[in-house]
Amino acid sequence: MFDRTSTPTQDNYWRSMRLLNFYRLIIACILIGFYFFLGTSEWWNANNGPLYLRLAVGYLLVAIAAAAFTWIRWPKFNRQLTLQTVADIVFIM
């Protein structure tokens, strides 16, 4: 089911995707940290803080899922890259 035969070039692609997922996890954790460290400020009270937290936690869950799928190399690289890019755009916007 999973294609574990790969060339050195393909391994470099997957390695770069794992690094991207690591950064995605760090960014998601930073976004969640902002909520807890800045949650008492006046700016947070004027905006929808609970929605922000739900989106940040959702982004963290997507980052964890993306890391897991990258680890097992499924789906294929190009499709996974497209899905992760769309997820980044949706959550960051």
Side-chain angles (χ1 to χ4, degrees):
M1 182 167 139
F2 301 114
D3 182 24
R4 289 305 226 171
T5 60
S6 60
T7 65
T9 303
Q10 290 174 340
D11 287 339
N12 289 337
Y13 290 152
W14 287 106
R15 189 176 309 121
S16 65
M17 176 109 33
R18 282 193 303 271
L19 185 61
L20 175 66
N21 285 325
F22 175 72
Y23 288 129
R24 187 178 286 120
L25 285 167
I26 297 297
I27 290 170
C29 290
I30 288 171
L31 291 174
I32 292 171
F34 280 159
Y35 177 81
F36 290 110
F37 290 120
L38 301 175
T40 58
S41 69
E42 197 172 305
W43 183 84
W44 284 103
N45 295 331
N47 294 300
N48 195 350
L51 176 63
Y52 174 86
L53 180 62
R54 279 183 258 156
L55 287 172
V57 169
Y59 189 56
L60 178 64
L61 294 175
V62 166
I64 291 169
F69 286 131
T70 300
W71 184 260
I72 63 173
R73 295 184 179 190
W74 181 84
K76 296 208 180 283
F77 182 82
N78 289 337
R79 175 149 318 193
Q80 194 172 134
L81 182 62
T82 302
L83 292 172
Q84 290 182 19
T85 302
V86 168
D88 284 340
I89 291 170
V90 166
F91 278 100
I92 298 295
M93 295 302 283

